[in-house]
Amino acid sequence: MMMFKTPLSPSGHLPSSFRVLSALPLSLFSRRRVIHGFGRVDSFVNAMTRTRTMLIFSVLVMFVFQGCGSAKINHGNCPSSRYPKQKCTVHEVSVDVCRGGTQADPCKVRRGGKFTVNFSYTPGFRGDKMRSLPYWDGPGLSFPGLNPEACSHTQCPVLPNIKQNFTQTLSLASYFPPGRFPVAWRLWNEKNEQCCFFVHIKLI
């Protein structure tokens, strides 16, 4: 059997490299130490994976909630022949359940459900007691069962040349007939000075 001897320097002492190695603790070379080292690497990789997963999840949640938020729809001016004294600029209109709003691409609203309408406007008049109603293609065909009081949906008094918002949630009865309908939304004061915009909806 061959025997390996520890090499000695000419002076009879261990070489410096062997002295350094012999001074190190044995645990440094143990299998457990190596496994623990890989464990730390695995923990770091797992932490990075969890962080990336949470980031992707957060981005997906953000897009989902954006998709569920109000969508800006197209709107037009109401005919002045049927809706006189329009002294107002309607800037944007949004509905939380639909997009579109044009005759070719109407805003789709499900019967028997709820939807929220929001619009920003700048009136050219003052109003202390405001009223508001949506109409089916004409002043005489308002949505049934709605309270026209508007100051719970927009800030009153309404002041001229001050931009503000109007927000209202409506319930649409299931007995309404399906189909496409032009809708005019009015907001007016005691003198019938008004804001009015026009959209197309499709009841489904």
Side-chain angles (χ1 to χ4, degrees), residues 11-185:
S11 61
H13 298 288
L14 287 172
S16 59
S17 59
F18 279 87
R19 290 200 302 271
V20 172
L21 290 175
S22 62
L24 295 175
L26 292 177
S27 61
L28 183 65
F29 304 100
S30 67
R31 183 172 181 270
R32 183 179 179 182
R33 182 75 176 185
V34 174
I35 292 175
H36 282 182
F38 280 110
R40 287 195 295 271
V41 174
D42 290 341
S43 298
F44 176 76
V45 173
N46 291 336
M48 292 297 293
T49 302
R50 287 194 298 269
T51 301
R52 185 177 63 178
T53 302
M54 290 299 297
L55 179 61
I56 294 174
F57 177 76
S58 300
V59 172
L60 289 175
V61 169
M62 179 182 68
F63 277 109
V64 167
F65 276 97
Q66 284 183 344
C68 294
S70 295
K72 185 170 66 174
I73 64 173
N74 296 299
H75 69 281
N77 297 323
C78 295
S80 58
S81 58
R82 296 203 302 268
Y83 304 93
K85 293 187 177 181
Q86 294 185 49
K87 300 179 180 180
C88 182
T89 299
V90 177
H91 304 285
E92 290 185 353
V93 180
S94 62
V95 181
D96 64 341
V97 297
C98 69
R99 300 179 185 274
T102 63
Q103 187 171 6
D105 182 23
C107 171
K108 298 177 180 63
V109 179
R110 189 172 298 278
R111 295 173 297 153
K114 293 183 178 181
F115 63 98
T116 299
V117 176
N118 177 276
F119 62 89
S120 58
Y121 66 98
T122 301
F125 54 83
R126 178 188 174 95
D128 295 302
K129 296 181 180 180
M130 299 297 295
R131 297 167 70 83
S132 176
L133 280 176
Y135 292 86
W136 299 111
D137 192 26
L141 299 174
S142 62
F143 280 56
L146 293 182
N147 184 355
E149 189 277 322
C151 288
S152 57
H153 308 296
T154 192
Q155 183 176 347
C156 291
V158 168
L159 300 177
N161 303 316
I162 302 297
K163 184 179 179 180
Q164 58 187 71
N165 291 322
F166 178 100
T167 302
Q168 184 174 3
T169 299
L170 304 175
S171 296
L172 193 62
S174 58
Y175 59 75
F176 283 126
R180 296 173 179 244
F181 301 94
V183 173
W185 195 297

